[in-house]
Amino acid sequence: MLEIRNLTVKIADEDKQILNGLNLTVNAGEVAAIMGPNGSGKSTLSYVIAGKEDYEVLDGEILLNGENLLEMEADARAAAGIFLAFQYPLEIPGVATMTFLKAAMNAQRKARGEAELLTPDFIKQVNAAADKLGINRDMLRRPLNVGFSGGEKKRMEILQMALLAPSMCILDETDSGLDIDALRIVADGVNALRAQNRGFLVITHYQRLLDHIVPDTVHVMSKGRIVRSGGKELALELEKNGYAAYSEAA
Amino acid sequence: MAAVQETIDQVKSIDVTEYKYGFVTEIEMDKPAKGLTEDTVRYISARKNEPEWMLEWRLDAFRRWKTMTEPTWSRVNYPPINYQDIYYYAAPKSGASPQSLDEVDPAILETYKKLGIPLREQEILAGVAPENRVAVDAVFDSVSVVTTFKKELAQAGVIFCSISDAIQEHPELVRKYLATVVPVTDNYFATLNCAVFTDGSFVYIPKGVRCPMELSTYFRINEQNTGQFERTLIIADEGSYVSYLEGCTAPKRDENQLHAAVVELIALDDAEIKYSTVQNWYPGDAEGKGGIYNFVTKRGDCRGKNSKISWTQVETGSAITWKYPSCILRGDGSRGEFYSIAVSNGAQQVDSGTKMLHLGKNTTSKIIAKGIAAGKSDSTYRGMVSAHRKATNARNFTNCDSLLIGDQCGAHTIPYIEAKTATAVFEHEATTSKIGEDQMFYCQQRGLSEEEAVALIVNGFVKEVLQQLPMEFAVEAQKLITISLEGSVG
Ligand SMILES: Nc1ncnc2c1ncn2[C@@H]1O[C@H](COP(=O)(O)OP(=O)(O)OP(=O)(O)O)[C@@H](O)[C@H]1O
Ligand SMILES: [Mg+2]
């Protein structure tokens, strides 16, 4: 589903290289976890996949179902099925969450040549999804993420993911800032979306998230590369031994 | 830096392609030599066949103006204006005051058509319900070329004509009300306007009459190096109501042009005036070359008890805007409102706001000001709310929000509050939000294009003010705002 080959990336305005020939494959139906020390380039990888402009790709390719993502604008990538749950979700002043959700869903439908959603159908979908995630309906009337708590913002990311039904979901530290109950609710939300035709890339520092969202594969990232891959037991090993063994390998 | 450069490039390209009203009409014009002397004032007055009292009034203003100096307190910057390098009068040769549309130069009719303003009544009538009709006064450079639906309005007793015609036909009303709201020496630009004003609209709504249609004036500056000195006077007699709309456009030119207007509104007992502006003068290019200097004095006098004046403005154009539509709340129980959207992009500078002067008892006012700054523009809201000693129970609510797009623009809020009575209650709210590249990326990640994202955020921001405009203008204004901001985020 998602194939990344030899991805080499630097910051656009600086001489700073962050991803150094990274290789990674996520298959349809697979949940892949990425772990790695602070600053190893995990968020950068997620931004580059999603199409943020601050980076320059020096080499390599990213394919989604065979399509070359690097040639597409961020909004086209979203319509093609890439979703990124941000490590730090942005506040959108003055736009009610409901309004934003509808605009986003319709924009993607339009890009795929589908008809616009009818308002009653949309409201039904949103309410059902919000209830599942324990999101208060009053919150849907407030401007998106403005004044939301850290945990509320993360839940809102999962709500958007559920509504947009992407084929490739990237979750960047979605567990940070969540209390224990919220962690379970969010994990349940993600698990409910697991499907044959959908891939997940879950970036996290903690095993406790992976207790709830059990990964098929675990990758260790260090200094801009995947330095080791394994099954879910690899995460347990990392939790015990830390990343010391990998700082040399990179 | 790459993104910054890109923003600048995009804004530049907008100027060329997106200011739709930048065309020039080729037409033979009648104009005196450049420059301003007593002779210029006499020339303008003579061309308009004005009575002696009017000429004397102008000359008096001119002499006073010569003793005044240009104000410098606003947050706008521009090179000194050479008042001797401007044409003060320009009228189409075909005749300054045509009696019917057939006498209007077809090139002018074509111009207004291109601007989306049909002047032929039969074209307007086609398919428009009577209550949705709009009567138009079209001012082209220095003269009003035509006013539509005059007859139908006259049946209701409403006078709607150019100020030049009003001076000829209704001198008693003009003399009674002119400069009673904005005194001749109010400020430098207002005094200049008194000396050399050329045209504008005059409205009188008699007692108890609800004006049967929207009235509007479209100002067009066409000639090069020509100043436009608009003068508008609207009187709503006891218990009457009128809604009036003003629109403005100008061709793209490399040099700056001056628009110095004076607008006076008078509402007598229980009368209501709703005055809306969609200002879209040519803003100049991204570096600030060309564009209109819009220096305007607009003031309404709620002279009668329980009268109401409401200003709504959507300001997207002009290189520089200096404008504070205000209300004098003289009558007991009177109410003033100010709803404003000021959009600036490129190198535009806006210093705008309002004054609410509470003089009567139980007077109320409301101010909703939304400033959007993008590109390298600079936007200032300057507001004053004051209550006189006798203005017991004066109430004001002010809400003033700024939205910054990108990180090279600036927004400032300067509120002055002055209450001389302990019973006054003034509330003030202000917010500043910013849309940067990170927010744009977030929106795009959800599938919105850059234009869709800007439109979504901006429309949410200005909704409360747009609702104040008549429906069809609200739609136009919304489009205009979106176009003005296109490509403003890198
Ligand atoms: N726009 C930028 N300008 C300068 N440096 C940047 C930029 N973006 C990322 N970096 C740098 O690139 C490196 C990788 O950052 P990134 O955010 O991808 O790390 P991360 O693995 O997500 O870390 P964390 O676990 O702390 O979230 C860091 O050294 C960071 O400072
Ligand atoms: Mg990170």
Side-chain angles (χ1 to χ4, degrees):
Chain A
M1 163 152 280
L2 181 72
E3 284 170 84
I4 302 175
R5 292 195 201 113
N6 192 33
L7 189 62
T8 307
V9 171
K10 76 173 197 62
I11 307 283
D13 298 331
E14 291 169 41
D15 235 0
K16 186 168 173 180
Q17 198 162 314
I18 298 179
L19 300 182
N20 303 299
L22 182 139
N23 292 293
L24 179 68
T25 300
V26 182
N27 294 312
E30 179 182 335
V31 175
I34 293 191
M35 304 181 84
N38 295 131
S40 54
K42 302 180 298 297
S43 293
T44 302
L45 172 64
S46 69
Y47 286 147
V48 173
I49 297 171
K52 196 172 191 210
E53 280 178 354
D54 309 358
Y55 306 97
E56 192 181 326
V57 177
L58 300 174
D59 199 7
E61 57 184 359
I62 307 177
L63 304 176
L64 179 68
N65 297 322
E67 253 190 299
N68 184 357
L69 287 185
L70 293 177
E71 283 174 358
M72 295 155 75
E73 294 285 329
D75 48 335
R77 296 187 199 192
I82 295 286
F83 181 91
L84 170 61
F86 283 62
Q87 183 172 2
Y88 304 105
L90 278 296
E91 303 191 352
I92 308 296
V95 182
T97 301
M98 271 296 209
T99 310
F100 184 89
L101 293 174
K102 192 170 176 207
M105 288 169 80
N106 278 332
Q108 292 203 10
R109 294 174 77 100
K110 197 173 110 192
R112 292 191 293 255
E114 299 165 14
E116 281 204 1
L117 271 173
L118 298 175
T119 304
D121 295 342
F122 163 74
I123 290 175
K124 247 185 258 161
Q125 275 190 47
V126 175
N127 285 342
D131 290 351
K132 265 195 216 152
L133 289 164
I135 292 171
N136 190 322
R137 291 192 189 171
D138 286 342
M139 224 158 94
L140 299 174
R141 271 176 231 124
R142 286 167 51 191
L144 181 62
N145 292 335
V146 178
F148 289 12
S149 76
E152 287 169 342
K153 286 181 184 170
K154 294 298 176 75
R155 278 192 223 197
M156 201 49 88
E157 295 291 284
I158 303 304
L159 175 71
Q160 295 181 53
M161 187 168 96
L163 291 170
L164 292 168
S167 53
M168 184 67 221
C169 307
I170 305 164
L171 285 77
D172 191 359
E173 294 195 32
T174 300
D175 51 335
S176 68
L178 291 180
D179 64 35
I180 296 163
D181 294 336
L183 181 68
R184 185 168 306 117
I185 293 169
V186 163
D188 288 349
V190 172
N191 286 328
L193 291 172
R194 288 178 83 149
Q196 282 300 311
N197 54 0
R198 181 171 288 144
F200 287 85
L201 192 58
V202 179
I203 297 169
T204 184
H205 286 294
Y206 302 106
Q207 173 61 36
R208 57 168 201 180
L209 178 70
L210 303 180
D211 287 341
H212 294 284
I213 306 173
V214 181
D216 300 304
T217 49
V218 173
H219 304 274
V220 181
M221 185 158 172
S222 177
K223 298 187 179 159
R225 297 166 60 182
I226 302 297
V227 293
R228 192 173 161 201
S229 302
K232 60 177 186 262
E233 61 297 334
L234 180 54
L236 293 166
E237 186 192 314
L238 289 170
E239 179 117 309
K240 208 162 111 216
N241 301 333
Y243 298 112
Y246 303 103
S247 48
E248 298 306 308
Chain B
M1 279 315 286
V4 170
Q5 190 51 46
E6 205 174 309
T7 306
I8 294 170
D9 292 346
Q10 277 174 339
V11 170
K12 253 189 206 156
S13 68
I14 291 168
D15 264 298
V16 183
T17 53
E18 296 295 350
Y19 188 80
K20 291 193 295 192
Y21 311 103
F23 61 89
V24 178
T25 307
E26 291 300 336
I27 190 165
E28 254 196 290
M29 297 296 276
D30 206 358
K31 46 187 186 185
K34 274 183 185 172
L36 182 53
T37 62
E38 274 200 21
D39 284 344
T40 322
V41 178
R42 286 177 195 283
Y43 176 90
I44 293 169
S45 189
R47 280 304 307 262
K48 294 183 166 292
N49 268 324
E50 284 178 354
E52 189 61 25
W53 62 266
M54 196 69 235
L55 173 63
E56 284 310 317
W57 191 84
R58 286 177 181 275
L59 288 171
D60 177 54
F62 178 68
R63 287 168 200 140
R64 288 165 187 251
W65 179 73
K66 283 203 297 191
T67 68
M68 299 167 82
T69 46
E70 218 170 309
T72 53
W73 46 263
S74 65
R75 276 188 63 99
V76 296
N77 284 305
Y78 53 93
I81 298 173
N82 181 354
Y83 291 90
Q84 299 307 330
D85 196 32
I86 297 174
Y87 291 107
Y88 286 82
Y89 184 87
K93 270 228 168 94
S94 51
S97 58
Q99 291 311 301
S100 79
L101 269 178
D102 302 333
E103 294 172 34
V104 178
D105 191 315
I108 294 176
L109 291 180
E110 194 48 40
T111 302
Y112 280 90
K113 207 167 170 181
K114 253 170 134 173
L115 297 171
I117 308 149
L119 294 176
R120 293 189 181 281
E121 291 182 12
Q122 56 272 36
E123 285 171 20
I124 307 168
L125 289 175
V128 177
E131 63 276 14
N132 293 337
R133 276 181 212 159
V134 180
V136 176
D137 183 20
V139 176
F140 193 83
D141 288 325
S142 303
V143 295
S144 163
V145 286
V146 68
T147 308
T148 60
F149 292 110
K150 257 175 142 166
K151 280 203 195 92
E152 202 163 330
L153 288 166
Q155 277 164 16
V158 171
I159 304 171
F160 179 41
C161 62
S162 68
I163 191 103
S164 310
D165 286 353
I167 290 165
Q168 305 293 334
E169 291 160 29
H170 308 282
E172 66 303 336
L173 285 173
V174 174
R175 294 185 84 161
K176 184 168 173 191
Y177 291 107
L178 189 70
T180 61
V181 186
V182 178
V184 172
T185 51
D186 188 81
N187 68 73
Y188 187 80
F189 300 111
T191 310
L192 174 63
N193 176 287
C194 290
V196 299
F197 79 83
T198 43
D199 227 332
S201 299
F202 176 84
V203 176
Y204 173 78
I205 315 289
K207 279 184 194 169
V209 170
R210 199 180 160 87
C211 187
M213 59 183 98
E214 298 269 344
L215 306 183
S216 74
T217 305
Y218 275 89
F219 292 92
R220 173 77 177 166
I221 299 179
N222 187 60
E223 276 297 293
Q224 213 158 357
N225 291 319
T226 302
Q228 190 177 59
F229 301 92
E230 160 205 356
R231 186 94 200 181
T232 288
L233 178 59
I234 299 177
I235 303 133
D237 212 327
E238 292 171 18
S240 68
Y241 169 86
V242 63
S243 167
Y244 173 92
L245 188 122
E246 172 199 34
C248 341
T249 56
K252 288 195 273 208
R253 299 209 184 270
D254 283 348
E255 69 284 348
N256 297 104
Q257 280 177 285
L258 180 62
H259 173 84
V262 173
V263 174
E264 297 178 281
L265 313 184
I266 295 144
L268 301 182
D269 288 359
D270 304 303
E272 177 175 349
I273 302 174
K274 205 172 145 53
Y275 189 107
S276 314
T277 306
V278 177
Q279 187 264 108
N280 186 23
W281 293 121
Y282 176 54
D285 73 6
E287 306 308 320
K289 191 167 185 206
I292 302 291
Y293 290 164
N294 191 31
F295 299 152
V296 173
T297 306
K298 288 184 166 170
R299 199 170 301 157
D301 188 357
C302 286
R303 206 164 281 183
K305 65 172 172 45
N306 300 324
S307 55
K308 179 176 168 188
I309 289 178
S310 159
W311 298 99
T312 303
Q313 60 173 25
V314 177
E315 305 278 317
T316 60
S318 297
I320 300 178
T321 296
W322 180 97
K323 167 177 180 190
Y324 316 89
S326 305
C327 296
I328 302 168
L329 303 168
R330 202 184 301 276
D332 290 347
S334 60
R335 178 167 176 83
E337 292 175 354
F338 175 74
Y339 298 94
S340 170
I341 300 169
V343 181
S344 54
N345 197 352
Q348 283 177 284
Q349 306 174 58
V350 180
D351 193 307
S352 183
T354 185
K355 279 188 207 169
M356 294 289 172
L357 306 175
H358 293 256
L359 303 179
K361 295 185 186 63
N362 303 316
T363 47
T364 55
S365 60
K366 181 176 176 184
I367 299 170
I368 307 286
K370 308 277 181 182
I372 304 174
K376 290 188 288 185
S377 68
D378 196 87
S379 179
T380 299
Y381 167 82
R382 190 183 298 277
M384 178 193 235
V385 180
S386 75
H388 188 262
R389 195 167 42 80
K390 290 182 185 155
T392 46
N393 300 317
R395 294 269 181 285
N396 167 267
F397 173 75
T398 298
N399 169 239
C400 123
D401 296 329
S402 310
L403 181 66
L404 299 174
I405 302 181
D407 49 16
Q408 293 198 79
C409 51
H412 317 272
T413 300
I414 310 178
Y416 303 93
I417 293 175
E418 201 179 281
K420 295 207 171 110
T421 160
T423 57
V425 180
F426 293 166
E427 288 174 78
H428 183 95
E429 286 175 2
T431 65
T432 300
S433 345
K434 198 168 163 177
I435 321 180
E437 292 182 15
D438 288 348
Q439 270 109 334
M440 290 311 293
F441 171 62
Y442 185 83
C443 293
Q444 281 184 282
Q445 206 304 300
R446 298 303 185 246
L448 297 164
S449 69
E450 205 171 293
E451 284 75 33
E452 286 168 330
V454 170
L456 186 68
I457 293 170
V458 166
N459 290 345
F461 187 73
V462 300
K463 203 166 49 196
E464 195 181 351
V465 173
L466 282 188
Q467 282 164 353
Q468 298 298 323
L469 286 175
M471 186 56 185
E472 30 334 339
F473 298 112
V475 174
E476 273 306 300
Q478 189 169 24
K479 277 192 222 149
L480 191 57
I481 293 168
T482 313
I483 290 170
S484 310
L485 290 171
E486 240 163 55
S488 53
V489 191

